[in-house]
Amino acid sequence: MHRGDDNDASKKLKLAETAAAELSPLISQAPTLRQGSFSNSIEEYAEAVILQTYLLEGRIATRKEVQLAEVDEYLGGVLDFTGELNRIAIAKATIRDKVAVQKARDVVETLQGQFLRFDLRNGALRKKYDAL
């Protein structure tokens, strides 16, 4: 997505969805299998969907739009997205696209305000929030 290749990015997201769909019956039978690699992969998937939605539509994909992700995976994806948004803002700043930089800043500030409402205990989400 950072390279501007929307078609390739969409194909890769579809591959991820297919792989997750193939694994879902196993995960359903043994829910503890979701922890670890599968959950981390879904969080990365959520981040990618959120980033793609932002780049194409200028908004954050909702939890319902990232159906593969459970709540914590979606929230982790949102927090990771802010890092990607910072990279985009830096790239836009180098070409003096002040509007894009300001929009990125506004989105991150809004997300930070929303995450302040959560009572995040020590854990993965708290670490990601602290990086925000």
Side-chain angles (χ1 to χ4, degrees):
M1 285 181 244
H2 287 290
R3 294 183 185 106
D5 191 346
D6 298 332
N7 290 331
D8 187 49
S10 292
K11 287 178 188 176
K12 289 179 179 173
L13 283 173
K14 290 292 180 198
L15 285 172
E17 290 167 3
T18 300
E22 289 175 11
L23 292 171
S24 288
L26 294 171
I27 301 297
S28 295
Q29 291 174 357
T32 57
L33 291 175
R34 187 167 191 111
Q35 301 167 7
S37 297
F38 186 80
S39 182
N40 292 339
S41 298
I42 296 299
E43 189 174 295
E44 290 296 320
Y45 167 80
E47 176 186 354
V49 170
I50 294 162
L51 177 60
Q52 184 181 51
T53 303
Y54 179 82
L55 293 173
L56 296 177
E57 302 176 26
R59 65 180 184 83
I60 307 294
T62 65
R63 163 68 179 82
K64 287 184 180 182
E65 291 174 291
V66 189
Q67 293 180 352
L68 293 174
E70 292 184 351
V71 173
D72 283 358
E73 294 160 346
Y74 172 76
L75 293 174
V78 171
L79 288 166
D80 287 345
F81 157 76
T82 62
E84 298 302 323
L85 192 53
N86 286 332
R87 288 178 191 83
I88 290 167
I90 291 167
K92 294 296 185 181
T94 63
I95 60 171
R96 307 284 191 248
D97 186 345
K98 188 176 179 180
V99 172
V101 173
Q102 289 173 331
K103 182 178 179 184
R105 180 205 58 211
D106 292 346
V107 168
V108 170
E109 284 181 355
T110 298
L111 288 172
Q112 186 173 26
Q114 293 299 314
F115 273 94
L116 280 172
R117 303 166 101 190
F118 288 94
D119 182 19
L120 298 174
R121 305 293 170 148
N122 290 332
L125 282 177
R126 179 58 194 233
K127 289 178 187 176
K128 289 175 185 280
Y129 173 75
D130 288 346
L132 173 64

